Amino acid sequence: MPLPLYLLAVAVFAMGTSEFMLAGLVPDIASDLDVTVGTAGTLTSAFAIGMIVGAPLVAALARTWSRRSSLLGFILAFAAAHAVGALTTSFPVLFATRVVAALANAGFLALALAAAATLVAPDKKGRALAVLLSGTTIATVAGVPGGAVLGTLFGWRATFWAVAALCLPAALGILKGIPAGRAKGQERGGPALRAELAQLARPRLLVVMLLGALVNAATFAGLTFLAPVVTGTAGLGELWISVALVLFGVGSFAGVTVAGRLSDRHPGRVVAVGGPLLLVGWPALAVLADEPVALLALVFVQGALSFALGGTLITRVLYEAAGAPAMAGSYATAALNVGAAVGPFVAAATLGTAAGNLGPLWSSGLLVAVALLIAAAHAVGVRRAT
């Protein structure tokens, strides 16, 4: 894999850390800025919505720009948003910085996904995507727990400063490692924006986007509310929350790495094997949640299966959207973040039911079941895409 691909992964690591770090910082932010915890929690929603709206919008605006200049501009805007967020004493200003950061993240990720596909041979998009997504999985392993520790020791503002600082070496790497010229599809004579948007009318593209969104929704439904399962159902101490999150992150890194080598040539096999296992895993996690050893083992397994299947489906989005070279990354980004926004919402609705803390795990299983039913109904389309 080419060096620029790993430089992009460093930036994705910084952005992934920012996206997930608020889970451990919301109470401190609420206390410091004199708002309720619920109000502070809207910062997460602001980021997710900004990602969904921003991915296609910013990608459309930047489709004729130099890819290196665009990527550099997005990551510097992302760093600036975190610096302003670290300095402000106003919650509305902090909320605005999260929207700006999300837009910058969306634009960066959309272009990075498209860039990753052009940096490698046409039949190695899956491996390239696995390298890029490893930045996100490593963020869950090291970045998010590290941010939580930093926030505990020095306050939530220190975590924002740390994310801003992480962007600087990544920006330097992009400046040195990404070609300055326009990418394929950006030159004169490439597809018009209307033609690229018309790709969204293709059923196979819409199906894989929907499947990717559903699997990612299942992932975030279970992951977002994992903490009360660890401390409540399993009866473990708060320290074990970080252990569980790290295990999920390690599993996700393993899953996306292994699947990256299979998703280019054998995506149907990944879906056929990984899908049913993921479907069984979420209910198994709910049933065995009161057994700490089984809980932690299954958290690792579900992390691996979730990212193996999800990463494979997002790779298929890039393949199916090959006719939209500038916008394909934004379609993949939107699918990922629709899932990230919908999953926790669905899971939260189950907390007041008889299932209690385990409701989100059952909802994850239901979301995967829906995805597999849709995949089965469109099996011919999946085979043709391989």
Side-chain angles (χ1 to χ4, degrees), residues 33 352 378:
L33 300 184
H378 294 81

Side-chain angles (χ1 to χ4, degrees), residues 120-351:
V120 298
D123 62 346
K124 293 185 178 179
K125 291 181 182 178
R127 292 185 63 182
L129 182 63
V131 171
L132 199 62
L133 289 182
S134 69
T136 298
T137 59
I138 294 173
T140 64
V141 175
V144 175
V149 171
L150 193 62
T152 299
L153 294 177
F154 302 105
W156 65 270
R157 297 177 189 275
T159 304
F160 274 65
W161 282 118
V163 170
L166 273 175
C167 293
L168 300 182
L172 181 61
I174 290 167
L175 190 62
K176 297 293 184 181
I178 301 297
R182 293 182 179 181
K184 180 181 178 182
Q186 292 179 299
E187 69 277 358
R188 183 173 296 179
L193 177 59
R194 180 177 297 180
E196 296 206 40
L197 293 175
Q199 294 292 308
L200 290 173
R202 298 180 63 246
R204 286 192 297 183
L205 174 57
L206 291 177
V207 168
V208 291
M209 288 178 66
L210 177 58
L211 294 178
L214 285 169
V215 170
N216 207 44
T219 302
F220 276 83
L223 181 62
T224 301
F225 298 99
L226 186 59
V229 176
V230 173
T231 57
T233 308
L236 297 172
E238 291 188 0
L239 177 63
W240 287 96
I241 296 175
S242 296
V243 174
L245 292 175
V246 168
L247 284 172
F248 189 92
V250 172
S252 64
F253 179 78
V256 79
T257 301
V258 172
R261 297 180 176 275
L262 299 173
S263 59
D264 288 310
R265 297 185 178 181
H266 307 292
R269 294 182 185 178
V270 176
V271 175
V273 175
L277 290 176
L278 184 63
L279 173 61
V280 172
W282 286 118
L285 187 57
V287 171
L288 299 174
D290 58 347
E291 299 290 341
V293 174
L295 169 68
L296 295 175
L298 284 169
V299 164
F300 171 84
V301 171
Q302 290 304 94
L305 291 172
S306 294
F307 273 78
L309 187 59
T312 297
L313 292 170
I314 295 303
T315 299
R316 300 319 301 172
V317 172
L318 297 180
Y319 275 107
E320 294 294 346
M327 297 296 293
S330 71
Y331 301 157
T333 302
L336 281 171
N337 285 282
V338 166
V342 170
F345 177 79
V346 172
T350 69
L351 292 173

